Amino acid sequence: MSTIFTLFMILIIIASILLVIIIMAQNPKGGGLSGTFGGASATNFGVQRTNDFMEKATWTLGGTIVVLIFLSIILTGKPSQVIPTMPAPAKSEAPVKQAPANTAPATQVPVSK
């Protein structure tokens, strides 16, 4: 594998792990990390911004993963160098005509010196 492909794979894995961590930190009922820091009230100490950050981070990491995958395909893909060709038609030659089998071979006359 090429070095750039390995680099893209490492970046995709890191972004995927971060995405899992951010998604797991969110609470599906709206509490999540902001509920942990802010208690019952979501408006104390700017905890509402934590939810906004988590949502933006989720979308950003998801988009980053998609972009990295497309870049890895485009930059590391090798176009095929083989151009499909049609096989050349076989040359058709006329068969060699042979002398008829019923004729006698010619006799050679010795040449005198």
Side-chain angles (χ1 to χ4, degrees):
M1 285 195 286
S2 67
T3 306
I4 191 143
F5 181 74
T6 306
L7 176 68
F8 277 121
M9 290 305 294
I10 291 170
L11 290 174
I12 290 169
I13 290 171
I14 290 171
S16 298
I17 291 170
L18 288 174
L19 183 63
V20 168
I21 291 170
I22 287 183
I23 289 175
M24 294 299 287
Q26 295 177 11
N27 186 358
K29 296 181 182 176
L33 195 57
S34 65
T36 304
F37 289 133
S41 175
T43 59
N44 293 340
F45 304 110
V47 175
Q48 182 62 35
R49 291 186 185 184
T50 304
N51 279 339
D52 292 339
F53 170 75
M54 298 289 267
E55 183 177 352
K56 287 180 183 178
T58 302
W59 284 105
T60 303
L61 283 172
T64 302
I65 292 170
V66 171
V67 168
L68 286 173
I69 290 171
F70 280 133
L71 283 175
S72 69
I73 291 170
I74 292 170
L75 295 177
T76 62
K78 295 180 176 85
S80 64
Q81 299 295 329
V82 178
I83 299 173
T85 59
M86 298 293 292
K91 293 183 180 179
S92 60
E93 297 180 9
V96 177
K97 293 185 180 181
Q98 296 180 351
N102 56 2
T103 60
T107 58
Q108 295 183 352
V109 178
V111 178
S112 59
K113 291 185 182 180

